[in-house]
Amino acid sequence: MNRLKCEDILRGHDFKITQPRCDVLSTLSEVQHPMSVLDITKKLGKSSPNIVTIYRILESFVEKGLAKRIQLHAGEAMFEFAGFGDHHHIVCVRCDKIEEFDTCDVSGVLKKVLKGSRKFKSITQHTFELFGLCNTCARVR
Ligand SMILES: [Zn+2]
Ligand SMILES: [Zn+2]
Ligand SMILES: [Zn+2]
């Protein structure tokens, strides 16, 4: 994603344009899979903002719906660009390998939940992650 497109998206989400925000956003959108804060630092190399800054930027992206957070089993998180559309992940509880899938079919559940809710008018986002053992880890007992 080029600089202009980044600025466009940032502005569209009420962010002030800063170099670190642009860097993090373009990295996320170019690498089409979930990344950890460390992955992003490595990818940006010498010009990378520090880890705390990246983490803060990612949190604010998640808040505004620009990025998705994928929780790994050790409490760590991965982040990915939200523009890739509705899809979900299976995470290996042993090695954190991630596989993506896009059939989640939650619309029935959402309707039911909303009907029973007294405090919510609409549901705008959902996350749905599955955890298990990957082929490699299932073999090693
Ligand atoms: Zn994904
Ligand atoms: Zn595994
Ligand atoms: Zn879904």
Side-chain angles (χ1 to χ4, degrees), residues 21 44 66 69 71 79-80 92 96 98 108 123 127 132 136 140:
R21 280 191 189 124
L44 288 175
L66 202 48
R69 173 212 294 274
Q71 205 62 42
F79 297 85
E80 79 180 345
C92 178
D96 285 336
I98 293 178
I123 292 168
T127 64
T136 316
V140 192

Side-chain angles (χ1 to χ4, degrees), residues 32-34 68 70 80 84 87-89 98 100:
Q32 310 221 337
H33 57 79
K68 285 212 275 187
I70 297 127
E80 79 180 345
F84 299 146
H87 71 274
H88 302 277
H89 307 90
I98 293 178
E100 313 201 311

Side-chain angles (χ1 to χ4, degrees), residues 30-83:
E30 270 154 31
V31 179
Q32 310 221 337
H33 57 79
M35 298 180 92
S36 68
V37 174
L38 222 61
D39 293 336
I40 295 173
T41 324
K42 275 192 209 134
K43 185 100 199 300
L44 288 175
K46 274 206 188 96
S47 65
S48 173
N50 68 52
I51 285 178
V52 180
T53 308
I54 294 183
Y55 199 79
R56 262 195 222 123
I57 291 173
L58 289 167
E59 291 283 315
S60 64
F61 282 180
V62 172
E63 225 171 88
K64 296 262 175 89
L66 202 48
K68 285 212 275 187
R69 173 212 294 274
I70 297 127
Q71 205 62 42
L72 300 183
H73 73 279
E76 244 188 288
M78 307 270 273
F79 297 85
E80 79 180 345
F81 184 50

